[in-house]
Amino acid sequence: MLLIPIGRDETIVRRTPMVSYAIIALNVAAYVLLNLVLGSAHFSVMEKKYGELIAYMQEHPYLIPPEAAAPYLPKGAAGYMAGARKDAEQNGSLPNRSVERAEQQRLDELAAELARLVDTMPERRFGFTPGKPSFIARFTSLFVHTDFMHLLGNMLFFFATGPFLEDVFGKPLFVALYLVSGVFATWCHASLHPDSMVTLLGASGAIAGVMGAYFLRFLRSKTQFLFMPILFMPRFSFRFFLPSYVVFPLWFLMQLWFAYNETEQDTVAFGAHVGGFVLGLLTASVVRYFKIEEKHIHPKIEAEISWSRNRNLDAADTLRASGDLTSARASVARCLSEEPENVDAMVMERELAFEGDDWRSWGNATSRLLDLYVKKKEMGLALELVHDTIGRGGTHVPERFVLRAADLVVRLPEERGWGLDLYRHVADRGTDPQNVLRALLRVARMERESGDAAKARDALERARSHPGCVGDWMSAVEMEAAQLAKTAGL
């Protein structure tokens, strides 16, 4: 049976939750590096040393098990060796003292080497061990996970809550909450089990802090869950929503119960979950009581995401309405000097040039606007601009713009025919040899690709006979002709 959170009822956030994404990315990167890259190689060495230790103990069962090896021995191994030693003493099969001392020393060395390898395992180096506390490990342990399911479970709970809390708390407070919750959760676990040698790993304490704050901030929101009664059989699964005031209190009570009954040897730090959740709850309470979100966080976020128009554009609108196109164009130019990629300014620059019959400026402004749309991947706006320009501009549309427009529209299967017509327009009516030859080569290639060899050859013959077809242009024409011959099987 599997029950996992997969979302919430309201999924809109005002800004991209970059901190949440970064935290997830760091956890995934740490897992790949420590578990799959460094950990696998280290584990193979440790496994070999463990095999040596067990084999040596089997060959010398009468020796005393080293204390350093106790955590790694099979259950009952110490009792078995104690019995074997007693039998050896009774039947007189113990080796002499010097041999036994050498054998015991070798066993102790093997145990010490294994213990050292265990201590240098990535999860032990970067995880937090209460019996061997480290200040740095309090932070690094938040990004280390034992296995993939441990990582996946934590990240799913975080993804269902973190981005939404980041959106309302803002990035600085959210980062502080995450890290402080994680450290406080680690401290809670260490306080409950100060001598434990079980390493604490994972982001669950920090995520519990996020969940605690999320619970209070989004008390009436609903979390969506995926319930899969039979593991890895999605067809039997179903989804449902539960309100936060039901989900999170139940989860917290479960963690509190398990924390009350946990021991030093438990592999899940329920006490850390409780501590993190409580800290998150307290943080959200402070934020609400002092109205920190309303007074300080929300205004800054709104100022960041709110759109404000350049003052020069407002002035240009006023001047345009009064008929002073020259001054209006000067205001637009000042706006573009401050914001070179201001789309509204570029659109107005183009319109003012059109109204003033300044076709040269109109063509230049149109070309720059098209380049900006393409750069921003606004293909719909770019296509609208091409239609509008060719429809309104007539003979004033620059050849170079028509070629640029053709290059753009032929990428779209439904506009390929129109793109071919634009290339033909430049080929038939163009005056710049470079533009004409480029258009003819494009026509030849497109006709070849469509299977019309005759029209492709006609375009190539026109290109060959053009006075400007020399040097590199002639080489390009001959290469296309060779490709045509190959395609047509001539």
Side-chain angles (χ1 to χ4, degrees):
M1 184 176 71
L2 190 64
L3 179 66
I4 56 175
I6 57 175
R8 56 167 284 182
D9 53 345
E10 177 56 63
T11 59
I12 297 175
V13 293
R14 293 170 294 179
R15 302 176 300 168
T16 303
M18 296 306 298
V19 171
S20 296
Y21 291 161
I23 289 173
I24 293 173
L26 282 172
N27 277 279
V28 172
Y31 173 78
V32 171
L33 177 63
L34 300 182
N35 292 59
L36 304 184
V37 180
L38 301 177
S40 58
H42 197 99
F43 184 79
S44 63
V45 175
M46 189 177 71
E47 190 176 35
K48 181 179 179 181
K49 186 59 64 178
Y50 178 77
E52 290 181 24
L53 175 67
I54 296 299
Y56 197 83
M57 292 174 67
Q58 289 173 341
E59 294 170 6
H60 308 85
Y62 47 82
L63 296 176
I64 299 173
E67 186 177 344
Y72 321 114
L73 296 181
K75 188 176 180 180
Y80 169 78
M81 293 185 72
R85 182 172 183 83
K86 185 176 180 180
D87 292 341
E89 289 174 345
Q90 290 177 351
N91 58 33
S93 59
L94 283 175
N96 62 57
R97 287 292 182 89
S98 60
V99 172
E100 184 184 351
R101 278 197 300 270
E103 292 174 346
Q104 185 67 50
Q105 183 179 357
R106 177 55 183 159
L107 180 61
D108 292 344
E109 289 172 355
L110 287 172
E113 290 172 11
L114 178 62
R116 181 185 58 79
L117 286 171
V118 171
D119 285 339
T120 55
M121 280 287 290
E123 62 181 43
R124 291 294 291 267
R125 289 172 57 194
F126 299 104
F128 182 79
T129 305
K132 291 183 178 180
S134 164
F135 176 78
I136 296 298
R138 293 179 187 272
F139 294 93
T140 58
S141 63
L142 305 181
F143 300 93
V144 184
H145 292 81
T146 54
D147 53 44
F148 178 73
M149 293 306 295
H150 185 204
L151 171 70
L152 180 64
N154 277 344
M155 293 304 102
L156 284 172
F157 273 93
F158 179 70
F159 188 71
T161 55
F164 309 103
L165 192 66
E166 177 187 345
D167 186 52
V168 296
F169 272 16
K171 292 177 174 56
L173 179 58
F174 182 73
V175 170
L177 171 67
Y178 184 87
L179 294 176
V180 173
S181 294
V183 173
F184 181 74
T186 301
W187 177 82
C188 289
H189 174 74
S191 298
L192 292 172
H193 311 290
D195 299 320
S196 174
M197 294 304 294
V198 177
T199 303
L200 180 66
L201 301 170
S204 55
I207 295 170
V210 172
M211 291 168 61
Y214 177 94
F215 161 62
L216 188 61
R217 177 57 178 78
F218 298 101
L219 188 63
R220 297 190 177 279
S221 69
K222 294 180 180 179
T223 302
Q224 187 178 29
F225 289 87
L226 173 67
F227 180 65
M228 195 179 299
I230 304 175
L231 289 180
F232 308 115
M233 295 188 70
R235 57 191 254 175
F236 295 109
S237 65
F238 61 90
R239 303 178 184 188
F240 62 93
F241 285 93
L242 284 176
S244 292
Y245 59 79
V246 172
V247 174
F248 293 100
L250 284 176
W251 179 86
F252 177 72
L253 290 174
M254 287 175 57
Q255 305 307 304
L256 194 61
W257 169 258
F258 288 129
Y260 181 76
N261 292 282
E262 76 177 359
T263 67
E264 287 190 359
Q265 300 306 314
D266 284 341
T267 56
V268 179
F270 297 105
H273 298 172
V274 171
F277 190 89
V278 169
L279 184 68
L281 197 62
L282 290 173
T283 301
S285 299
V286 171
V287 170
R288 173 175 290 186
Y289 180 80
F290 290 103
K291 300 186 182 302
I292 295 174
E293 185 181 331
E294 293 86 341
K295 293 180 179 178
H296 305 288
I297 301 173
H298 181 74
K300 289 183 179 178
I301 294 175
E302 285 301 311
E304 180 182 333
I305 65 176
S306 297
W307 177 80
S308 59
R309 201 170 188 231
N310 190 290
R311 64 190 184 284
N312 290 303
L313 283 185
D314 292 332
D317 275 334
T318 303
L319 293 166
R320 183 183 184 184
S322 67
D324 189 353
L325 299 184
T326 302
S327 298
R329 291 175 70 175
S331 289
V332 172
R334 285 193 293 272
C335 175
L336 287 172
S337 68
E338 296 173 6
E339 303 174 26
E341 294 191 351
N342 188 311
V343 174
D344 291 332
M346 296 182 90
V347 170
M348 187 178 291
E349 177 191 36
R350 177 175 178 267
E351 291 303 314
L352 288 170
F354 183 83
E355 292 173 16
D357 293 330
D358 185 349
W359 296 109
R360 182 182 180 85
S361 297
W362 178 78
N364 292 335
T366 301
S367 296
R368 288 197 301 272
L369 184 58
L370 180 64
D371 289 340
L372 183 60
Y373 282 152
V374 173
K375 178 182 177 181
K376 292 180 176 292
K377 295 183 169 46
E378 296 285 358
M379 304 310 291
L381 293 175
L383 201 57
E384 287 179 17
L385 178 65
V386 171
H387 278 287
D388 177 75
T389 301
I390 292 176
R392 283 202 296 169
T395 58
H396 298 291
V397 180
E399 293 174 21
R400 196 160 192 80
F401 177 85
V402 178
L403 277 176
R404 183 80 175 89
D407 291 341
L408 173 68
V409 299
V410 294
R411 301 180 195 174
L412 309 173
E414 66 274 14
E415 301 289 354
R416 190 172 175 83
W418 183 37
L420 181 57
D421 289 340
L422 293 176
Y423 284 134
R424 285 175 177 154
H425 175 85
V426 177
D428 295 340
R429 303 179 187 178
T431 57
D432 187 320
Q434 305 293 315
N435 294 335
V436 172
L437 289 169
R438 181 180 164 199
L440 285 169
L441 280 172
R442 292 286 195 279
V443 170
R445 185 182 67 186
M446 290 183 69
E447 296 290 10
R448 169 174 60 80
E449 291 174 348
S450 66
D452 196 331
K455 289 183 178 179
R457 279 194 292 272
D458 178 65
L460 290 174
E461 286 303 320
R462 288 179 59 189
R464 282 196 186 97
S465 62
H466 194 285
C469 187
V470 294
D472 291 341
W473 282 113
M474 182 59 76
S475 299
V477 170
E478 295 305 327
M479 287 177 64
E480 181 58 36
Q483 188 64 39
L484 175 63
K486 181 180 178 181
T487 302
L490 299 178

